[in-house]
Amino acid sequence: METAGPARRPTSHGPARPAADRGPAPRWPALAAAAWVGVFCAVAGTMLVRDLLLGGPGDDRGVVALAIGLRLVTVAAALASVQAWGRRVPGWVLLGGLWGIAAVQLAYPLAETVVKGAILAGVMDPVPKGISDMSATGWFNFGMTWLIWGVPGVLFGLAARSYGRRTPVPRRWVVIGALGGLVFLAALGLLIG
């Protein structure tokens, strides 16, 4: 004879609950983004110092130093979204900044994913280098692009969404931040390239 188990709650999904009833927005995405990018900064910084000490070719030192500096700013933004000292930063600046950071970091991995998908689907032919490179090196670079830019981009997107749930900021800053990030990326590409 079977015995009845504990009573189950109904599984119907009613209307969406107000934000205050959903519980606290998670803070882990911001901490994970800061840690992920912090590791990148530590590795790149160590390689830069090693290159300086060993007198290696310094063609890209300025670009690497700029990348580390910009990524440290993103770490600060992520931490500001979950630390008490971050309340000194206006909410619209932080929300827009987090969405901009997410957009900047996701732009290239998403573009490369679309291009590689189009090549695999036969919609376009690859060119020998760049985001359409289908060689083993191209696929390795694709994986590294997602590891270095895509994963933190997703984490920053989650952090921005979480911060937006906790902070009463007009949602127009989501769009302004994301578009501003893409404009910044284009300007940086023109400056460096």
Side-chain angles (χ1 to χ4, degrees):
M1 181 172 179
E2 291 182 26
T3 59
R8 295 180 185 231
R9 292 184 179 170
T11 58
S12 66
H13 297 276
R17 295 179 292 172
D21 292 344
R22 285 186 253 164
R27 298 174 188 271
W28 68 264
L31 297 173
W36 194 279
V37 174
V39 168
F40 165 83
C41 290
V43 169
T46 301
M47 291 171 48
L48 182 62
V49 169
R50 180 182 165 269
D51 184 53
L52 286 168
L53 292 175
L54 296 177
D59 298 339
D60 295 330
R61 287 182 190 153
V63 172
V64 172
L66 176 63
I68 293 169
L70 290 173
R71 303 244 19 217
L72 287 173
V73 169
T74 70
V75 169
L79 293 176
S81 74
V82 294
Q83 300 295 325
W85 57 265
R87 291 187 195 118
R88 291 185 224 139
V89 179
W92 63 271
V93 170
L94 204 46
L95 183 66
L98 289 169
W99 280 111
I101 292 165
V104 164
Q105 294 192 68
L106 284 171
Y108 191 83
L110 289 174
E112 187 167 357
T113 300
V114 168
V115 169
K116 287 197 183 310
I119 292 168
L120 291 172
V123 176
M124 70 177 278
D125 293 325
V127 294
K129 62 180 185 172
I131 65 174
S132 70
D133 184 354
M134 301 300 276
S135 70
T137 300
W139 283 104
F140 174 80
N141 290 341
F142 176 68
M144 290 298 100
T145 297
W146 272 100
L147 189 66
I148 294 169
W149 298 104
V151 170
V154 168
L155 290 171
F156 274 103
L158 292 172
R161 184 171 178 260
S162 178
Y163 181 76
R165 287 179 61 195
R166 292 190 313 272
T167 308
V169 177
R171 298 300 168 231
R172 70 178 173 266
W173 291 104
V174 171
V175 175
I176 292 169
L179 291 176
L182 295 174
V183 168
F184 174 80
L185 181 61
L188 189 61
L190 290 173
L191 178 71
I192 293 174

